[in-house]
Amino acid sequence: MNLACPKSIPIIVVLLAIIVPLSHSEIPFIDSFIEYLEPWIDIPLFISTILDYFEAIYYPLAIPEDGPIFRDLANTTTMFLKVIATINMPPSTQIIDQRPAGLFLANVADKVGRASQMENKIIIQYLNDLAESTYQTGKKAEKLFSIGAYLINRIGNEITSIRETLSLDMTLSRRNVTFLSNRLNKLLFQVTEFRDQFKAIRMAIDDEERIWNGTQYGINSFYDVEKYFESIESTGSKIYKWKNIVNNLTIFKLGCLVTFEARRGIETALKITEQVRIKFIQTKDVIRGLNKKKIVRKIDLINLQGVEMLTEAVSVGWAEKDKSKIIIQ
């Protein structure tokens, strides 16, 4: 059959009329058949390739445009990576290590203070709860750093896949558009996962800060704890080296304050991440309409290469964030 012959058009239309609906079928047998093919054939890309072929034969090409789609993609991804790079979260181990310090202080209060007094019980409960809360925050930070390292690398891989699909002066085909849309889906997933991790750690810090404020305990935050330890110094110094107790109080206090300070960076990152998600969704919509309309220029490839280099740098820096302790003075 001569595919360029107009007589073949009805046959082609029939084939496409069968293939396209089948790719979205919910019939068990057809679903099983498609699942069988999927390891070897990307069905959407396969359909796009067929459509590209016949469009090239039967429809005149529109004049491609030099649109900014890849520049916008590069700028959006760069904005996200730069925000990630500036997050100043204490290492997870440093936050987790606050738990034993807090529990130790609670134990000192229990041992030195008069357990029958309500004030003593409140301070002990406050320190125990705050210590446990710092542990939960630390575990969320640990997960953020761990998953974040993987996600940053995946973002770099997706950008590389996009760049390697393109070549100078090529015009995007339907197959290219389908492939790019799939890559945008992956990027969107990775950014969404980052957003979820930011939300989780923000919530953990909020919970810790609520305990810190002391309202539910009827005390004036950590200030009343410090006053309490001053009041038991005369008795406590007979059991403990009190200078060490004071140092523990100071380090525990400043450790919490450093975490609270990091919340602002997390909040900023969360807002930017939401903006980036919206931009990626918009970019997906734009890409779907670029079949035969976008010509790849040198600046497009340069922009994407720049993102790849930035991703590598951010990945290295991110790994270091969870290793280098923040000095508390």
Side-chain angles (χ1 to χ4, degrees):
M1 179 177 65
N2 182 4
L3 293 178
C5 175
K7 292 181 180 179
S8 66
I9 293 178
I11 298 175
I12 295 165
V13 171
V14 170
L15 286 173
L16 291 176
I18 294 172
I19 293 172
V20 174
L22 283 181
S23 67
H24 301 285
S25 171
E26 295 183 359
I27 300 174
F29 170 75
I30 295 175
D31 282 348
S32 299
F33 180 68
I34 290 174
E35 287 177 5
Y36 173 78
L37 291 178
E38 280 181 343
W40 296 278
I41 300 175
D42 187 317
I43 300 297
L45 283 178
F46 177 67
I47 294 172
S48 298
T49 302
I50 294 175
L51 292 174
D52 279 333
Y53 178 74
F54 292 122
E55 275 187 353
I57 294 174
Y58 295 112
Y59 296 96
L61 290 176
I63 298 175
E65 304 169 358
D66 188 17
I69 185 67
F70 296 114
R71 182 194 65 198
D72 291 346
L73 174 61
N75 288 343
T76 302
T77 310
T78 297
M79 176 176 67
F80 175 71
L81 291 171
K82 285 184 176 179
V83 169
I84 294 297
T86 58
I87 289 178
N88 192 28
M89 189 75 193
S92 57
T93 53
Q94 186 168 331
I95 303 173
I96 291 172
D97 286 347
Q98 288 179 248
R99 179 176 180 266
L103 294 178
F104 170 71
L105 291 171
N107 185 60
V108 171
D110 187 27
K111 190 171 183 178
V112 176
R114 293 173 293 278
S116 60
Q117 291 189 355
M118 183 59 67
E119 181 187 12
N120 192 47
K121 291 181 179 179
I122 290 173
I123 294 297
I124 292 170
Q125 186 64 52
Y126 173 87
L127 286 170
N128 279 325
D129 291 349
L130 188 56
E132 294 298 336
S133 186
T134 61
Y135 176 79
Q136 294 302 321
T137 302
K139 296 304 288 184
K140 291 293 190 299
E142 185 177 60
K143 189 174 181 181
L144 170 65
F145 284 123
S146 175
I147 293 179
Y150 169 77
L151 293 175
I152 292 169
N153 288 331
R154 291 304 308 161
I155 289 171
N157 290 342
E158 297 303 336
I159 295 295
T160 298
S161 294
I162 291 173
R163 180 184 58 78
E164 290 178 346
T165 304
L166 308 176
S167 59
L168 189 61
D169 294 332
M170 72 176 284
T171 300
L172 295 187
S173 66
R174 189 183 300 274
R175 178 184 174 86
N176 297 142
V177 167
T178 301
F179 178 82
L180 292 173
S181 183
N182 290 341
R183 301 280 67 77
L184 258 295
N185 276 334
K186 297 289 187 181
L187 286 171
L188 183 60
F189 171 81
Q190 286 138 18
V191 171
T192 301
E193 184 64 27
F194 249 119
R195 180 204 61 182
D196 293 344
Q197 294 303 318
F198 289 146
K199 282 185 175 180
I201 197 165
R202 182 187 64 178
M203 186 178 297
I205 295 174
D206 286 347
D207 289 342
E208 183 180 336
E209 197 162 10
R210 272 193 292 272
I211 295 173
W212 169 272
N213 290 335
T215 303
Q216 68 194 78
Y217 304 91
I219 64 174
N220 183 21
S221 71
F222 207 78
Y223 174 73
D224 280 357
V225 174
E226 291 174 309
K227 283 176 56 180
Y228 173 81
F229 273 83
E230 287 176 6
S231 71
I232 64 172
E233 179 179 358
S234 58
T235 305
S237 58
K238 298 175 183 177
I239 305 173
Y240 299 96
K241 192 173 182 179
W242 205 250
K243 184 178 180 180
N244 292 340
I245 302 299
V246 173
N247 286 340
N248 278 334
L249 274 170
T250 302
I251 292 172
F252 185 71
K253 171 186 176 180
L254 293 180
C256 291
L257 293 176
V258 167
T259 301
F260 301 154
E261 183 68 21
R263 187 196 183 284
R264 290 192 291 183
I266 294 294
E267 186 67 34
T268 299
L270 184 55
K271 289 178 181 178
I272 296 296
T273 301
E274 287 288 6
Q275 294 172 14
V276 169
R277 288 185 70 256
I278 293 171
K279 288 288 290 182
F280 278 162
I281 292 170
Q282 293 171 343
T283 300
K284 266 184 57 180
D285 292 338
V286 172
I287 282 179
R288 289 194 186 103
L290 289 182
N291 178 35
K292 305 294 188 295
K293 295 180 182 178
K294 164 63 183 169
I295 189 167
V296 178
R297 297 301 189 190
K298 186 175 182 180
I299 189 63
D300 295 322
L301 301 176
I302 291 174
N303 284 335
L304 293 173
Q305 285 177 329
V307 177
E308 291 177 75
M309 294 173 62
L310 177 61
T311 304
E312 290 178 7
V314 172
S315 179
V316 172
W318 185 265
E320 292 301 316
K321 285 180 183 291
D322 202 28
K323 294 179 182 178
S324 303
K325 286 186 176 294
I326 294 178
I327 304 301
I328 299 175
Q329 297 178 339

